Each structure stands twice: as structure tokens, then as C-alpha cells.
Amino acid sequence: MPKLLKVIAIDGPAGSGKSTTAKEVAKRLGWTYLDTGAMYRALGLAVHRAGGNPEELNDVEPLLDKVEIGFGTGFPPAVLLNGEDVSELIRTPEAGQAASQVSTHGLVRKRMVELQRAIGIKQPCVLEGRDTTTVIFPDAGLKIYVDGSVEVRAKRRLHDYTVQGHTMNIEEVIADVIERDKRDMGRKESPLQVAEDAVVIDTTEMNMEEQIQAVMDVALDRFGGSSR
Ligand code: DC
């Protein structure tokens, strides 16, 4: 039997709680947490700093060989751009927008996937994101797809927005979640899909701790060990 790659890749739609789950599972297992979105955000920031347009491949491509994107030690690991800690700077809405734009270029995705694989293969790791189970680690030892009803995912989003100080009502957020699902699943480049051998966890009736525990149970069953 081939050796089980110590990688847990978690995918799922907006509001499925995959980021919190991935981070917490990594922490409990003592594995590396790889924030794949942070890498696109760091590149987006680099493009902005260079005065470029993240939508223009001509502006982005020359930077691919110039910038070094990586992670520091500690938990969660600091995001490094040419050695500078940009963990906070990449969390602005502008950096999110730039990340989304640079991530549409096939060449950028190819380079990022190479980097992400290199990091994930070096040490046991947990990662989440739209292409983790299908493109980055189709050979992950464990693939998880966290799902949940539209209403429950919208309620979680609404809670996040409220904490961030935005006022929205549940109808607006439901419409937003439905639209994102459609876009995420329908896009050409790395659409969100359930990998063939993924373990699907329906989180509709679960709170966050139950969701984390559900992933931990599958992980410990797959890789061995005990969490309780
Ligand atoms: O998860 P996040 O919001 O930090 O991601 C920022 C952007 O990066 C998101 O708009 C899409 C892109 N991204 C991607 O294309 N592939 C990933 N594996 C993760 C993020």
C-alpha cells in the first residue's frame, strides 16, 4: 500500500467554517497550518506596492520570480513577503480584492500550487481552500468536504459581518451565499467540487466545536492517535 501522505485538505463552500476548522485541527494535531489564501494575498500586496494592476498578467508575472512568499514559525504562522511580516497588511479588503484578481491567472495558480505542495510535503500539514483537495493535494492522506445548509451558512456569515461592524440582514446574506456558491462551483479555473474520495461532513446541525471534533475523529482514525 502506498504511504499515506500526512496532509489533510479541507474544502467547502462559503460559510462552511473551513478556515477555523483547518486552523484548529492543525493546532490540536501539532501539524503545520498552511493558509493558501494568504499567499495570494501577499502576492496581491506585492503587485500593489510595485504600482501594478493585479488583473494584468504583465504586471504580475515579473514579480513571480522576484518576490519570496513564505511563513514564519509560531501559530498561526506569520505570513512573510521577502522576509517582512505582512500578516496584518494582507487582511484589508483591498488585499482580498487583489488576491482574488491575481488568483485568476493560470500562471500564478501554477506557481502557487508548486509552492504550496513543496511546503505541505515537507511536514505534516492541514490546509484549506477552493483547490486544496482537487489540485494542490489530490493525493492528500485525508480529504474533507465540509458542507452545510444555505440558511445555516448564511447565519454564520451574518454573525461574522456583525462582529466586523457591518449591518446586513439575513435575506441579503442568504442571497450572497447562493450567488457565491454558484460562482465558486461554476468557474472555469479550479471550481469548487467534492473530490471523489473526500469525507463529506454536513455541519448544518453542528456547532464549531462539534465540527472540529468531527474532523479530528476522522483524522485520528485515518492517521492514528487519540484526541480525547
Ligand atoms: O481565503 P482568502 O480569502 O484568504 O483567499 C483570498 C483569495 O485568494 C480568494 O479570493 C481566492 C484566492 N484563493 C485561491 O484562488 N486559491 C486558494 N487555494 C486560496 C485562495
Side-chain angles (χ1 to χ4, degrees), residues 197-217:
D197 48 353
V199 176
V200 179
I201 298 179
D202 184 347
T203 68
T204 305
E205 306 282 336
M206 293 180 184
N207 62 32
M208 188 44 79
E209 178 53 33
E210 288 166 339
Q211 175 166 339
I212 292 162
Q213 200 52 58
V215 176
M216 285 298 292
D217 286 346

Side-chain angles (χ1 to χ4, degrees), residues 36-196:
T36 59
M39 298 172 72
Y40 290 95
R41 286 171 178 266
L43 181 62
L45 177 67
V47 177
H48 268 173
R49 282 180 167 178
N53 175 356
E55 281 181 307
E56 287 295 330
L57 184 59
N58 284 340
D59 287 358
V60 182
E61 193 175 350
L63 288 176
L64 283 177
D65 287 327
K66 276 199 210 128
V67 300
E68 201 184 315
I69 295 169
F71 294 93
T73 50
F75 201 94
V79 184
L80 305 177
L81 176 61
N82 294 327
E84 175 194 347
D85 183 348
V86 293
S87 312
E88 303 274 320
L89 287 173
I90 58 164
R91 294 297 155 201
T92 63
E94 294 75 34
Q97 187 67 21
S100 169
Q101 289 165 338
V102 291
S103 77
T104 59
H105 304 298
L107 186 67
V108 169
R109 301 203 67 82
K110 187 168 171 278
R111 198 63 71 82
M112 288 296 177
V113 168
E114 282 165 11
L115 271 174
Q116 288 154 356
R117 270 198 75 87
I119 294 171
I121 272 175
K122 250 195 334 213
Q123 66 256 299
C125 126
V126 184
L127 71 167
E128 85 25 63
R130 63 194 234 181
D131 57 350
T132 51
T133 61
T134 50
V135 179
I136 311 176
F137 280 110
D139 51 346
L142 176 59
K143 297 179 215 174
I144 305 264
Y145 188 91
V146 277
D147 211 346
S149 74
V150 168
E151 289 72 19
V152 163
R153 290 189 286 119
K155 257 193 218 156
R156 293 175 188 156
R157 287 252 125 171
L158 181 62
H159 177 259
D160 293 345
Y161 288 139
T162 309
V163 170
Q164 289 162 10
H166 304 289
T167 28
M168 281 178 98
N169 64 45
I170 189 71
E171 286 76 24
E172 283 174 302
V173 186
I174 286 179
D176 187 54
V177 165
I178 291 174
E179 195 192 316
R180 267 190 71 158
D181 281 359
K182 228 171 106 188
R183 197 168 55 223
D184 288 352
M185 292 169 193
R187 83 183 133 227
K188 239 175 46 214
E189 196 76 53
S190 306
L192 174 66
Q193 51 192 345
V194 187
E196 211 178 292

